[in-house]
């Protein structure tokens, strides 16, 4: 029997695991393309480090949630948390890679 709340659950998961974590890489891109005269060079660097630090802390928390879900046998939920972790780790790659 099909669950009636399935589209609601999918929409909630997409919002929670894809759209909200995407704010960190988008903020880093936005900061990269902001002119130096707006914030100054050092302040832009500190803001970029702050974004990366918050995203990394969030990635640790989502990794913990994914491991917890995996231990409880919720494999699909664990994969959603893994995807969230990868998105939250992307600012580190952007900071030391193409935007660094």
């Amino acid at each position: 029997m099909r669950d009636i709340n399935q589209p609601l659950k999918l929409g909630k998961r997409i919002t929670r695991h894809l759209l909200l974590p995407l704010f960190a890489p988008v903020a880093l891109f936005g900061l990269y393309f902001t002119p130096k005269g707006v914030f100054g060079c050092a302040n832009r660097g500190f803001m970029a480090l702050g974004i990366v630090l918050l995203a990394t802390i969030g990635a640790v928390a989502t990794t913990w949630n994914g491991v917890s879900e995996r231990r409880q046998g919720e494999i699909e939920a664990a994969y959603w948390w893994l995807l969230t972790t990868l998105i939250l780790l992307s600012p580190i790659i952007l900071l030391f890679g193409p935007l660094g």
Side-chain angles (χ1 to χ4, degrees), residues 56-70:
T56 304
I57 291 170
V60 169
T62 57
T63 302
W64 186 265
N65 285 343
V67 169
S68 174
E69 293 287 337
R70 179 96 179 184

Side-chain angles (χ1 to χ4, degrees), residues 18-84:
L18 291 178
L19 297 179
L20 289 177
L22 277 174
F23 280 127
V26 168
L28 202 61
F29 268 114
L31 193 60
Y32 180 74
F33 290 111
T34 302
K36 290 180 187 174
V38 175
F39 296 119
C41 193
N43 289 335
R44 285 177 55 206
F46 287 136
M47 285 190 278
L49 286 176
I51 291 169
V52 169
L53 178 67
L54 290 175
T56 304
I57 291 170
V60 169
T62 57
T63 302
W64 186 265
N65 285 343
V67 169
S68 174
E69 293 287 337
R70 179 96 179 184
R71 285 183 185 160
Q72 294 175 3
E74 297 288 333
I75 304 300
E76 184 180 354
Y79 286 144
W80 280 100
W81 284 112
L82 175 65
L83 178 64
T84 305

